[in-house]
Every structure is written in C-alpha cells, then in structure tokens.
Amino acid sequence: MGTPAIRNAEATGPGTRRAALRSRVVRTPGGLSVRVDVRAFTVVVALLLAAFTASVVLIGTGDFPIPAADVLRTLMGNGDAGQEFIVNELRLPRVLVGLLVGASLGLGGALFQSISRNPLGSPDVLGLAQGSTAGALVVIVLFSGSAGQVTAGALVGGLVTGLAIYLLAWKRGVHGYRLVLVGIGVSAIVTAVNGYLITKADLVDAARAVVWMTGSLGGRDWSQVWPLLWMCAVLVPLVLANARGLRMTEMGDDVSYALGVRVERLRMLLMVAAVLLTAGATAAAGPVGFVALTAPQLARRLTRSPGPNLAASMCMGATLLITADWAAQRAFGADQLPVGVVTGVLGGVYLLWLLVTERKAGRI
C-alpha cells in the first residue's frame, strides 16, 4: 500500500525511493503544483531560525546588555525610551546590514559557482570584491570622498570588474575554468592597483582605506540599510524566478538549448545580478572575505541536493555573517575585531580543506 509516488519508487529502486520520499508536491487552489524538497525546505527554515536567534542575541549584547525578551518587546514597539534608542538606532541597523550583506554574498556566490560549475568560482576568487575595493579606494585616495561617494565608487568598481571578466572570458560563451582563470588574473591585477593606491594616499586617507578594506559592520546606520534592502528586494525575486533555468544549465548547454533555455541570455542576466549583489554588499560593509565562497558549499552539504541551492545559500550567508559578527565583538574579550578578520580566518581554513578535497578527488 502507500501513495502512488512511493509505490512507484519501490518498483524502480532505492535511489528513486529516496528521491520520492525527499520531495512533496504542493498543489495551490489555482491548480498549480510545486515540488518541494523536504530536506532543503527544513534546512532553510532552520537557518532562518538560527539567523533570527543570532540577531536577537547580538542586539542584546554590548556595553548596555538587554535581555532577549526585552529585545523582542522593543522590536515590537513596546520598549522604554532608552531601549528604543539602543535597539532601533544603534544596534538594529548594524544587524540588518549584516543579514543583508551575508544573504547577498551567499546568493552571489551560489550564482557564480553554478555558472562556472566550479566550487572555486566565487566573487572572492574572481576578483569582484577587489574591483569594488579599487572603486572605493579611488574615491577615498584621489577625491577624499564622503561615505556615500565611497559606496557609489565601490558599486561602480564592482560592475566594471565584472564586465571586464565577462568580456575577457567570452569565447563562444562563458564556461567553467576559463571564467575562474580569467577572474584570478583580473584579481591579481586589481590587487596590485589597490596596493599602489594605498602607497599614494596620505596617512589619514590610508588609515581610512585600510579599515574599509578589512570589512566591517561597525558604525553602520539606516543609510546603509535602505539601499541594500531595495537592491535585494529587486534582485532576489529576479534570481529565484530563473532558478529552474539555472539548474537546467548544469546539465550542459546542448541539453539546456533542447529544453528551451536561452543559455547565454540567462547567464548574462544572472551574472549581472550576481555582480550587483556582490558589489552592493561590498559597498555596504567592505570586502568581507570568503562568505560567498563557503556559504553555497555548506548549504549544499546540508541540503544534500543538486543544483544551485539559491535559497539555502542566501540563508546560510546571512547566518554565517551575523554569527561571525557576534564572534568578532564578543569572542576576544575587550578587543573587538572587524568581521572581515573572522570570516577571513574561517574562510581560509575552509578554502585549504576544499583544495585538498578537490585534489584527492582528481578535479584539480
């Protein structure tokens, strides 16, 4: 007995049985049906709860600690005047920027890794973060620009770098290792340019630039929240709407064309979205390293699901960054570190492990 899906799975073998048990078909009142991966859905919900819990804890910690219950009450508008100021004006913007930056980096990393079909195909390796850094440094060093101008410079730098990588990697399409290799070369060039710009800066601007280059959420306010929130509100639905086509491209271009997917148009659209997500995140918090590299890989290992795992990668990125920010503030006693230092250490260890794993598998 049992449902038809499970009876069919029993007839076709254990692999199909596991796939049937993992998925459920949800039918809407309008007659639409959506297949839901139960494990992936559970992982996304768990990551959302983890990110929310870490956010509440982070908002409540500081020189003026606030219990979690009071934080929740204040967020719902029932706190006293002092708590309202501390939570809503001082701590909540920083947490929201951390969540949005982590989600943007996680989603951008998942897009690049899926497009390049390479676990090393992340914005950190491809040089997009370095390109955004170059744009910010030009504004800081050459024009002594304001915070808003630095943000705009970082966004323009990321877009120009992404366009350069795409054009240099184009040869009857953009594929795999060519994209990664071109990105590594562009990253090396832009990193050298950044070093040159630092040497030409005066002491004040150089110190300001180095702090920005580390990647930090310190001093973030609502002026950084709203642009990043609007960008995510536009780009995230656009990316998720094209998730099915992106998953088809992982089967190969010929199969994708046969299924009606306009491969190069889709790649171009999603690469532009990934560049904007990465550049916007870098503009808001500086080049926070390795979140875009590790979040998609960890999400895939948790979901055990093929494909880009876009929603899980986005939630994993937000959880990683907000947890790293808590560690940067509280795990080292009186010394508060920029969040980029923590993610850089953890991400560097993960990258070494990934390289060893890929080498043992014979892929590099």
Side-chain angles (χ1 to χ4, degrees), residues 202-291:
D202 59 40
L203 186 59
V204 175
D205 287 339
R208 180 186 174 196
V210 169
V211 171
W212 190 90
M213 290 172 63
T214 305
S216 174
L217 296 174
R220 297 304 181 265
D221 56 27
W222 290 103
S223 65
Q224 280 90 28
V225 173
W226 295 117
L228 198 55
L229 183 61
W230 281 111
M231 184 189 71
C232 290
V234 173
L235 294 178
V236 171
L238 175 65
V239 170
L240 295 180
N242 289 278
R244 183 172 178 270
L246 179 62
R247 184 166 183 171
M248 288 181 180
T249 62
E250 295 187 346
M251 296 186 291
D253 288 1
D254 293 337
V255 175
S256 301
Y257 280 120
L259 294 173
V261 179
R262 297 181 179 180
V263 177
E264 289 305 326
R265 179 180 176 181
L266 179 66
R267 283 199 184 115
M268 183 65 177
L269 174 66
L270 294 181
M271 281 190 67
V272 169
V275 170
L276 286 171
L277 287 166
T278 304
T282 305
V288 180
F290 290 106
V291 174

Side-chain angles (χ1 to χ4, degrees), residues 19-351:
L21 292 172
R22 282 170 55 97
S23 300
R24 294 290 184 272
V25 176
V26 178
R27 300 187 185 279
T28 65
L32 297 176
S33 62
V34 179
R35 185 173 295 276
V36 178
D37 188 315
V38 176
R39 183 183 178 92
F41 179 78
T42 304
V43 168
V44 168
V45 172
L47 289 172
L48 288 174
L49 290 174
F52 177 77
T53 302
S55 300
V56 171
V57 171
L58 185 57
I59 291 173
T61 58
D63 295 334
F64 185 82
I66 303 175
D70 291 341
V71 171
L72 293 174
R73 187 163 50 248
T74 303
L75 290 175
M76 291 185 290
N78 298 320
D80 59 42
Q83 291 174 341
E84 290 275 356
F85 176 76
I86 292 172
V87 170
N88 294 330
E89 299 300 326
L90 298 182
R91 297 178 183 174
L92 182 59
R94 174 175 181 149
V95 169
L96 290 177
V97 170
L99 291 171
L100 292 170
V101 167
S104 299
L105 292 176
L107 184 56
L111 288 172
F112 273 113
Q113 290 179 20
S114 181
I115 290 171
S116 65
R117 303 175 197 170
N118 192 317
L120 297 179
S122 80
D124 306 298
V125 178
L126 297 180
L128 292 174
Q130 292 84 345
S132 295
T133 301
L137 288 180
V138 167
V139 175
I140 293 173
V141 174
L142 301 183
F143 302 104
S144 298
S146 63
Q149 291 170 333
V150 171
T151 299
L155 189 61
V156 172
L159 290 173
V160 171
T161 305
L163 178 62
I165 293 172
Y166 185 86
L167 293 177
L168 292 172
W170 174 269
K171 185 179 180 182
R172 295 188 297 275
V174 176
H175 302 284
Y177 279 101
R178 186 164 68 244
L179 180 66
V180 175
L181 292 174
V182 169
I184 291 173
V186 171
S187 175
I189 295 172
V190 178
T191 299
V193 172
N194 292 343
Y196 173 78
L197 289 172
I198 289 292
T199 63
K200 290 299 181 180
D202 59 40
L203 186 59
V204 175
D205 287 339
R208 180 186 174 196
V210 169
V211 171
W212 190 90
M213 290 172 63
T214 305
S216 174
L217 296 174
R220 297 304 181 265
D221 56 27
W222 290 103
S223 65
Q224 280 90 28
V225 173
W226 295 117
L228 198 55
L229 183 61
W230 281 111
M231 184 189 71
C232 290
V234 173
L235 294 178
V236 171
L238 175 65
V239 170
L240 295 180
N242 289 278
R244 183 172 178 270
L246 179 62
R247 184 166 183 171
M248 288 181 180
T249 62
E250 295 187 346
M251 296 186 291
D253 288 1
D254 293 337
V255 175
S256 301
Y257 280 120
L259 294 173
V261 179
R262 297 181 179 180
V263 177
E264 289 305 326
R265 179 180 176 181
L266 179 66
R267 283 199 184 115
M268 183 65 177
L269 174 66
L270 294 181
M271 281 190 67
V272 169
V275 170
L276 286 171
L277 287 166
T278 304
T282 305
V288 180
F290 290 106
V291 174
L293 174 69
T294 57
Q297 294 297 311
L298 293 176
R300 177 170 292 191
R301 282 169 170 76
L302 286 177
T303 61
R304 299 179 187 173
S305 176
N309 288 285
L310 299 179
S313 299
M314 185 169 54
C315 296
M316 176 61 76
T319 303
L320 280 177
L321 190 55
I322 206 67
T323 304
D325 191 38
W326 178 88
Q329 292 187 56
R330 297 299 157 196
F332 301 95
D335 297 325
Q336 292 192 11
L337 299 178
V339 68
V341 174
V342 177
T343 61
V345 171
L346 297 178
V349 173
Y350 178 81
L351 178 59

